[in-house]
Amino acid sequence: MAGRVAMGRRPLVSVDAKGYGSATGRRQVAWQVGLTDMLAASAEAAGLRRAEWDCQQGGDGELAVLPADEPENVLIDDFPRELADQLADFNEDRRDDARLRLRLAIHHGVVEPAANGYAGAGAVVVSRLVDAPATRAAQVAAPRADLVVILSNPVFVDTVAQGHTALRPGRFRRVVVTNKEFSEDAWLYVPGFDVHQLDLDRTGSPTAEAGEKAPGKPRNRKPADGSPRRTPRNRADIVNVFKGTVNAGVIGVHNGDVHG
């Protein structure tokens, strides 16, 4: 890993691939090449200085510490959009189980170099977000989505909610991320899909809230007696945001063969 950074508050990105462990060796090789090429191309297209990112790479993902002056609004707006386009091109002629589908987490926090990677709360938070049940559930609920993006609460509140990005706050969905010792609100965004209509509860995530709700609002958790949750039709938080009825469901998955 080249160019270690000193301790400080930095933009942080974590990327992870769905289904890498169950993929064949040949497919893992193709995904690794595709992942590194697409991250580089997406950062360049967005105007970010990829060569200056300090990257801790794994076969199925990457943790990157960015220069302190990389623009956060570009990282939230342009980078995911370019990455989604790159993934669409990569997956175009691949059967469903051969598609590379990514989770992308963005945070801004304190990190410092350590003997085996990074230490500090920032590295912990972005790693928990990319691996969160809600992030994984969104991939299951939207099987045609190539990319799922999750922002930490401070990044959303300071950047998106304040109007510093082209993405409207209502395109994000607040979720509760509980992963090991980490438990915080975070914000989901799925390029090309209405994240509020994804049925995250049925795919095993913590309860999620829709829209631009103020932090700290009590969340509707699953009843302790095991009785079924109310459907989104009766949930006031979703109806209030959209001023109407939202019917959520899981989209079916189709497994085909590689074209050609």
Side-chain angles (χ1 to χ4, degrees), residues 127-180:
S127 298
R128 297 293 180 258
L129 291 176
V130 80
D131 197 40
T135 318
R136 292 178 177 274
Q139 288 186 304
V140 175
R144 301 310 306 170
D146 294 321
L147 181 66
V148 170
V149 181
I150 186 166
L151 307 183
S152 68
N153 194 57
V155 166
F156 177 85
V157 170
D158 293 344
T159 305
V160 178
Q162 294 300 315
H164 298 306
T165 75
L167 292 170
R168 299 182 63 182
R171 296 186 66 182
F172 291 78
R173 175 172 175 172
R174 186 167 69 179
V175 296
V176 184
V177 174
T178 301
N179 193 336
K180 298 183 179 179

Side-chain angles (χ1 to χ4, degrees), residues 5 7 35 41 43 50 61 63 91 147-148 151 157 181 188 191 193 214 218 227 230 259-260:
V5 297
M7 176 179 175
L35 176 63
R50 170 74 175 174
L63 169 64
N91 291 329
L147 181 66
V148 170
L151 307 183
V157 170
E181 74 286 353
L188 276 178
F193 292 81
S227 59
R230 290 180 298 165
H259 295 286

Side-chain angles (χ1 to χ4, degrees), residues 3 25 43 57 61 69 81 86 121 133 145 156 167 174 196 203 208 218 221 247 257 260:
Q57 295 174 332
D69 62 345
R81 183 179 65 249
Q86 291 279 335
F156 177 85
L167 292 170
R174 186 167 69 179
H196 301 293
T203 51
R221 302 188 181 278
N247 294 318
D257 294 324

Side-chain angles (χ1 to χ4, degrees), residues 199-236:
D199 190 351
L200 302 183
D201 295 328
R202 289 182 58 186
T203 51
S205 79
T207 299
E209 291 186 342
E212 306 168 47
K213 296 293 182 180
K217 184 182 184 299
R219 288 168 283 275
N220 296 321
R221 302 188 181 278
K222 185 175 181 179
D225 61 3
S227 59
R229 293 182 51 82
R230 290 180 298 165
T231 64
R233 179 184 298 275
N234 296 323
R235 287 177 58 177

